[in-house]
Amino acid sequence: MLVIPGRKAKDVCDRDLGPTRRDLLRVGGSAFLGLTLGQALQMQQASAAVESSASGWGRAKSVIMVYLQGGPSHIDLWDPKENVPEKVKSAFGTIHSKVPGIDLTENLPKLAEVTDKLSLIRSMSYSPNGLFNHTAAIYQMHTGYTADKVSPSGQLEPPSPKDYPNFGCNIIKLKPPEVPMLPFVMMPRPLQESNVVNKSGTAGFLGRAYDPYYLFPPGDDMDMTKMDRINITDLTLRPEVSTNRLGRRARLREMINAGMPGLDQAVEKYDMDKYYETAMNLISSGRARDAFDLSKETDKTRDMYGRNTFGQSLLLARRLIDAGTRVVEVIWPKVANSDNHSWDHHVGLTDRMKNKSAPMLDSGLSSLIADMDERGMLEETLVVAVGEFGRSPQRGVSTSGNGNSADGRDHWPYCYTACLAGAGIKRGAIYGESDQTASAPLKDPVHPTELLATIYHALGIDPATIVYNHLNQPRELVKAEAVTGLFG
């Protein structure tokens, strides 16, 4: 028997690097079928090409995560139900969309005009590990792993270097940008529940070199003009320092470092070389600085997206992707558990949804999808809009220990909706189905980890790829398989 040793891998085990030991051992048996090794590998390659094309493998070069932190009510947005008890029925009417069979509520008239460009997963579902709190659910949605420290109040410990990485950090480690551009941008505010800020918004055990570029303009969550005050001075070359002078400084630093192995060893874990290299490329190229300039967009385009923090963040996301950024995450511009335009509608759902939350979502998301499609950018960009959970089918009941008014809905992870577009995702389609009251999936349930696996898959990254944590222990990106039925 022919034994072909597999290759050792220190950082990652990526099947894209070539045939694995298992693959070669498998094709070794083909000799019994009268095939040479070369013929077997040729057949394997042809088969993989067909499979990849059909399943959406590697269709995306970039991803925009539109993260609706707070947990929007699926029943009051994109999974309306008729002929249900009064406590379940939405206060909003149902409207037909551009695609027959994909009905939405009256809160999303603009999104209804672009349903021919997207898919809705109406069967997102999971059973919570511990309490029904935002931070634990946000952590799971972003890392693919459940939180292991949840206090009685429902909060978690602050971000730690031991945390699992945000999915975007994994992506930029495995697939860095092809041009000198910010790899991963997160805006316009951190992920947050109460006093726990940015949990699952970091690179965790991958190291700070893979953290996102945080674009958090000054101003509170009610300031709708904060994106007009973006400060990117750290991406600007000072007037008195020319590009040549900057290059000389970099070479001098390399010479000094070469003679100081002790210093290099001391800062090795902080990935300082990656910091300097990235900063040098960004500052000298000017690509990022130009991408952040929203004034280069017409007033008509800016109005279309919405003159608010969310709309302008989505417009900036499109500009960043166009400039070469690999991952952009736009976080809903209101802390998870709060009032006004927050999605955490424990009280006053009807007024807050109709006049505050839904109009911003409707204008921003529909414009992003339509604009990117018109520019041809949806071909290679995956857009995902999702929250950490939905809201309870019955109004006025408590499922998480929170108080709810008769017009409020509590947290509900057992069934909710996600919206996807681009990178080979089926257009004008519904995946999965919720039951009569949108309480549970009727068919094809999708776990948050499977959604993450689908994102990795679309970018040509095996969800089972191994990364090593702070203790040098192997960990899979996510323990789930991609939902290939979303592609077509």
Side-chain angles (χ1 to χ4, degrees), residues 61-65 166-173 175 177 182-186 212-213 317 320-321 324-330 455 459:
K61 287 188 176 180
S62 53
V63 59
I64 297 176
M65 168 65 82
N166 178 289
F167 74 95
C169 304
N170 283 326
I171 290 171
I172 63 171
K173 176 179 173 62
K175 283 188 175 290
L182 292 164
F184 179 12
V185 178
M186 180 178 287
Y213 179 86
L320 290 167
I321 293 296
T325 294
R326 183 74 74 193
V327 182
V328 178
E329 178 163 9
V330 175
I455 294 173
L459 285 152

Side-chain angles (χ1 to χ4, degrees), residues 191-212:
L191 297 163
Q192 182 177 351
E193 178 188 10
S194 295
N195 62 343
V196 180
V197 182
N198 214 27
K199 187 74 172 179
S200 71
T202 74
F205 60 64
L206 289 185
R208 294 189 62 186
Y210 300 102
D211 274 349

Side-chain angles (χ1 to χ4, degrees), residues 402-425:
N402 286 291
N404 297 270
S405 69
D407 189 33
R409 297 185 191 269
D410 211 330
H411 307 168
W412 194 260
Y414 303 109
C415 188
Y416 58 110
T417 300
C419 176
L420 285 76
I425 293 291

Side-chain angles (χ1 to χ4, degrees), residues 288-307:
R289 186 171 61 254
D290 293 340
F292 280 113
D293 191 354
L294 286 174
S295 68
K296 293 186 177 181
E297 296 289 335
T298 65
D299 286 340
K300 180 180 178 181
T301 299
R302 297 192 67 178
D303 291 341
M304 178 178 70
Y305 274 82
R307 293 282 188 161

